[in-house]
Amino acid sequence: MKKTKLIILSLGLLVLVGIVLISYAQFKKETLKNYEQIKESGKSLIGMLSLPSTKILFLESKNSFFRELSQNALNNKIAYCVIHDGEQKPVLSFSPEKIAMQVPDNIINKSLLESGFIMQEFSTAAGFDVIEFAKPVFKGGKIDAVVRLGLKVPTNIFFTYANLVLPFQIIFFILLALVFGYYWTILTFKNLKNIEVADRGIKFDKSGKGDVKDIIENLEAYLASVKEKTSVAESKRQKLESRLKISQFENKQFFNIFDAFDFGILLIDNRDMVFFVNTYLLDLLGQTKEDLINFSYDEVIEHEGLKTFILQRSSAEGRDASGHMDMIFDKTEPDQSYQTSSSNITDAQGSLFIRLIKVVNISREKENEKLQQDFISHIAHELRTPLTNIKAYNEMMMDGEIDNVEMQKEFFNTINDETNRLAKLISSILELAETEMGQLTVKKDMVKTDWLMEGCIEAVEAVAKEKNITIERKVPDNFPKIMGDKEMLKSALINILGNAVKYSPESAGIMFSIKEVDDMVVFEINDTGFGMDEKDLPHIFEKFYRSENEDVVEQDGSGLGLAITAEIIKTHDGFIEVQSELDKGSQFTIKIPKGDLLIG
């Protein structure tokens, strides 16, 4: 009897301790739930209040807006709402209980100085626990206003009806289960010989008096069915675990693909947390994945330009947060330019799922754009000069201003020269365009280098004689042959030889030589002309490039000859090199693969 009372007393004490523990757990759960609700409400409200359209609503009808805010103040949890202008001065304030006047200065200063969303907690002198949410409003890329919102954290009471009803329900059901279990156990042992194994659908009905042997046999059958069911459950678990590992592997492979991209990828979820960042962007930022992933982007991204861009896109009105911005990164070369773009990825319900930020290197595009503009500018300049001369001389002839026959003949010769110059320029531009686009027809055949040399010298010989320039030949005993388009190769060599004549003074000498080096045929053209400055050498094969040397500027030229020559040599799998010194002359070296005539 005494032992029974001790058991009952122990059970009662255990029940009491259980009630207290469960009530405390409910209390902590409710407190945490209220705290999270306050945070979520604050984030939602501050996001709405910091939109540019909300600011306009404040300015136009602040009385009606505050009245509406007061009536729907989340059960009196809104402590205050203050809007500061671009100079950090409060312009609008809503604080029913004057709590805004009790905010510590360090809280206010931190809210006004941050360039993104911020959340801070503090306690007032009156004993209120308050969470302040703050977020800037951008206009034109600059902070136009700052919205501060304070929400009171509700105080929970430990022993309440809500906290006690659950533990009493649990205790009630435990006691009910104990009573039911007691009687069920008694009945089960009385009828244990007739156990029905549900998994197999077999009913064991052992004849006899229900002794221990019958009970053990039925228990063994029942345990066998339980073991089989457990085995099936384990098999399913292993399959699920295998699928999970496969899914994790596929996700890892998917992110490995992102890491292989030659542009930056940043994924931000709907909580503004960094979900993924690839290796390319990490190198640009000079940070690691551990620095960024699972943290709020405005807290961990150190690049101010990128952080501002993301903030502006996230603050954009509507669901469309697409856009782009050019920026540079300190971790790269100064001449490297990047373009950052943003796009939203939504789920099946149309809600924001992931914000995708892409950073692409656009240095080459900018350089190509500049080259294209320079190309067009050069073409316009080169075409304008002969056309202007042709038009001027033609108008003078049409107006009858020139009566002298000799002068008329001179004008006609000038018009003819300018027309030929214009036609040659257009032909050069078309030839260069066809060569660069791979549309130029190359008819390769066996070409004799002696024929090639003599043809080039004949083409420039008349101009050379006018300047009393001597062209010497230096040739091998047996002229090698090359495989190529003889007219194109002749045109390329004439460009080099013609420049040697054009940019050499009178009575100068030019050496034109041919030799074999390994499997290459080497053409060398040496002159003692004006030469080139060291700064000009890297650019002489660029389209429309001409030296600023006075001796060069005085000579007519489009700046396309060497560019065309370089393209022709390139189509023949050859190389072109130049060595030059100002006022001492130049040496151009062209190497073309040697060709052999196959008979058979």
Side-chain angles (χ1 to χ4, degrees):
M1 188 69 177
K2 185 177 180 180
K3 186 176 180 180
T4 302
K5 289 182 179 180
L6 183 60
I7 293 174
I8 295 174
L9 183 61
S10 300
L11 288 175
L13 183 59
L14 183 62
V15 168
L16 182 60
V17 172
I19 292 174
V20 173
L21 291 177
I22 296 174
S23 298
Y24 179 75
Q26 281 291 102
F27 169 76
K28 294 298 290 184
K29 180 181 178 182
E30 191 68 23
T31 301
L32 182 60
K33 179 180 178 182
N34 291 337
Y35 182 76
E36 292 298 326
Q37 286 179 347
I38 288 295
K39 286 175 59 177
E40 293 300 322
S41 299
K43 288 181 180 180
S44 177
L45 280 174
I46 197 68
M48 177 192 71
L49 294 172
S50 60
L51 293 176
S53 58
T54 309
K55 182 191 172 188
I56 295 173
L57 180 61
F58 272 128
L59 296 175
E60 291 180 351
S61 56
K62 63 179 184 179
N63 292 332
S64 61
F65 188 87
F66 281 155
R67 184 166 52 253
E68 182 69 19
L69 187 64
S70 178
Q71 292 174 355
N72 299 275
L74 298 176
N75 296 325
N76 297 322
K77 291 177 183 176
I78 292 184
Y80 59 87
C81 178
V82 183
I83 298 180
H84 299 258
D85 60 14
E87 298 179 356
Q88 301 182 354
K89 296 179 180 179
V91 292
L92 292 173
S93 178
F94 169 74
S95 181
E97 300 180 25
K98 308 299 181 182
I99 296 180
M101 308 299 292
Q102 304 176 36
V103 182
D105 291 339
N106 63 317
I107 299 294
I108 298 175
N109 292 335
K110 188 171 183 180
S111 296
L112 296 178
L113 292 177
E114 287 291 331
S115 60
F117 169 76
I118 184 173
M119 182 181 73
Q120 305 179 81
E121 300 180 30
F122 65 93
S123 298
T124 67
F128 290 113
D129 292 330
V130 180
I131 303 177
E132 177 171 304
F133 304 84
K135 193 172 185 182
V137 179
F138 284 87
K139 183 178 182 182
K142 297 182 179 180
I143 296 179
D144 184 48
V146 177
V147 180
R148 295 174 44 235
L149 175 69
L151 297 184
K152 292 188 293 185
V153 179
T155 303
N156 291 331
I157 302 174
F158 183 76
F159 288 107
T160 62
Y161 174 78
N163 290 339
L164 292 176
V165 66
L166 179 62
F168 276 112
Q169 288 178 346
I170 294 175
I171 296 302
F172 171 76
F173 283 113
I174 289 175
L175 293 176
L176 185 63
L178 289 174
V179 174
F180 178 77
Y182 172 75
Y183 287 103
W184 179 82
T185 303
I186 294 175
L187 293 174
T188 299
F189 274 98
K190 287 183 178 179
N191 301 285
L192 196 56
K193 65 178 182 178
N194 294 321
I195 295 177
E196 181 177 342
V197 184
D199 292 339
R200 297 181 178 179
I202 301 173
K203 185 176 181 180
F204 293 88
D205 188 4
K206 297 290 181 178
S207 59
K209 299 180 180 180
D211 53 13
V212 176
K213 182 180 179 181
D214 295 334
I215 294 175
I216 292 175
E217 289 177 353
N218 283 338
L219 276 176
E220 288 178 349
Y222 182 74
L223 291 175
S225 69
V226 172
K227 182 179 180 181
E228 182 180 351
K229 185 177 180 180
T230 303
S231 177
V232 172
E234 178 64 18
S235 177
K236 290 181 178 180
R237 187 195 66 79
Q238 290 178 353
K239 289 181 180 179
L240 289 174
E241 185 177 354
S242 176
R243 291 178 183 176
L244 179 61
K245 289 182 178 179
I246 292 174
S247 177
Q248 291 173 343
F249 174 77
E250 291 176 347
N251 287 340
K252 185 177 180 180
Q253 294 300 103
F254 184 71
F255 288 139
N256 286 340
I257 294 174
F258 276 1
D259 279 331
F261 286 167
D262 60 349
F263 55 85
I265 292 291
L266 174 65
L267 301 180
I268 301 174
D269 62 20
N270 54 8
R271 302 171 300 160
D272 289 340
M273 306 290 282
V274 177
F275 179 70
F276 174 78
V277 57
N278 71 344
T279 305
Y280 186 95
L281 185 54
L282 288 173
D283 292 339
L284 293 180
L285 295 174
Q287 296 180 263
T288 65
K289 289 185 178 181
E290 291 74 16
D291 296 335
L292 302 177
I293 293 179
N294 294 328
F295 293 99
S296 178
Y297 75 87
D298 61 335
E299 295 179 357
V300 293
I301 292 180
E302 297 176 355
H303 192 279
E304 291 299 328
L306 180 60
K307 185 161 60 174
T308 301
F309 170 76
I310 299 172
L311 181 61
Q312 290 178 351
R313 290 297 94 206
S314 62
S315 300
E317 293 189 57
R319 305 302 299 175
D320 183 15
S322 60
H324 58 81
M325 175 188 292
D326 293 348
M327 61 181 62
I328 59 175
F329 290 86
D330 296 336
K331 305 297 180 181
T332 62
E333 297 295 330
D335 59 343
Q336 297 295 302
S337 299
Y338 295 84
Q339 186 177 85
T340 303
S341 59
S342 171
S343 57
N344 288 344
I345 301 175
T346 56
D347 56 20
Q349 289 74 34
S351 300
L352 177 63
F353 174 60
I354 289 291
R355 184 179 297 112
L356 171 64
I357 309 298
K358 185 169 68 172
V359 181
V360 181
N361 190 325
I362 58 171
S363 304
R364 181 173 296 179
E365 287 78 359
K366 284 189 173 292
E367 182 180 356
N368 291 339
E369 183 180 345
K370 183 178 182 302
L371 291 175
Q372 184 179 12
Q373 292 173 351
D374 293 342
F375 182 77
I376 295 173
S377 176
H378 282 300
I379 289 179
H381 175 74
E382 293 295 334
L383 293 176
R384 185 186 299 114
T385 302
L387 285 174
T388 301
N389 292 337
I390 292 171
K391 182 179 180 183
Y393 281 95
N394 188 54
E395 287 179 350
M396 293 175 69
M397 295 290 291
M398 292 177 62
D399 294 340
E401 298 180 11
I402 309 301
D403 297 332
N404 187 284
V405 176
E406 291 298 326
M407 188 171 290
Q408 288 180 351
K409 187 181 295 185
E410 183 180 344
F411 272 38
F412 281 128
N413 288 335
T414 302
I415 292 174
N416 184 63
D417 291 342
E418 292 296 330
T419 303
N420 290 335
R421 177 184 171 189
L422 188 61
K424 184 178 179 181
L425 175 62
I426 294 174
S427 177
S428 298
I429 293 173
L430 291 175
E431 183 179 358
L432 180 62
E434 290 176 348
T435 305
E436 289 182 339
M437 296 173 63
Q439 297 179 350
L440 191 64
T441 303
V442 181
K443 299 179 180 178
K444 289 190 176 183
D445 202 353
M446 195 64 64
V447 180
K448 296 180 179 180
T449 53
D450 55 342
W451 173 91
L452 197 58
M453 171 181 274
E454 294 304 322
C456 294
I457 293 176
E458 288 178 5
V460 302
E461 194 168 19
V463 179
K465 285 182 177 180
E466 288 181 3
K467 299 178 68 175
N468 196 27
I469 293 176
T470 303
I471 302 177
E472 297 184 17
R473 300 165 176 80
K474 185 177 180 180
V475 296
D477 295 335
N478 296 315
F479 282 94
K481 299 180 180 64
I482 56 178
M483 183 66 69
D485 189 311
K486 61 181 180 180
E487 293 301 330
M488 291 179 64
L489 290 173
K490 181 179 178 182
S491 174
L493 289 171
I494 288 174
N495 279 336
I496 303 295
L497 193 59
N499 282 346
V501 174
K502 182 189 297 185
Y503 299 116
S504 291
E506 293 187 1
S507 302
I510 296 175
M511 175 66 72
F512 190 171
S513 65
I514 300 176
K515 60 183 177 181
E516 290 185 55
V517 178
D518 297 329
D519 293 331
M520 306 292 285
V521 176
V522 181
F523 299 87
E524 285 186 359
I525 299 175
N526 292 272
D527 65 63
T528 56
F530 306 136
M532 289 175 280
D533 193 281
E534 186 177 354
K535 67 179 183 180
D536 294 327
L537 291 178
H539 308 287
I540 61 172
F541 296 110
E542 296 178 2
K543 297 183 287 291
F544 295 107
Y545 181 81
R546 299 199 71 196
S547 173
E548 297 178 356
N549 190 329
E550 293 181 359
D551 295 323
V552 176
V553 173
E554 289 178 358
Q555 304 294 327
D556 293 333
S558 63
L560 290 175
L562 290 180
I564 294 173
T565 297
E567 290 294 334
I568 291 174
I569 301 303
K570 184 179 178 181
T571 59
H572 285 79
D573 300 323
F575 308 92
I576 183 169
E577 301 171 350
V578 60
Q579 295 178 347
S580 183
E581 190 173 347
L582 195 62
D583 298 327
K584 292 187 178 181
S586 303
Q587 174 181 304
F588 282 84
T589 303
I590 296 175
K591 299 179 181 179
I592 304 292
K594 186 171 63 175
D596 294 321
L597 183 62
L598 300 177
I599 302 176

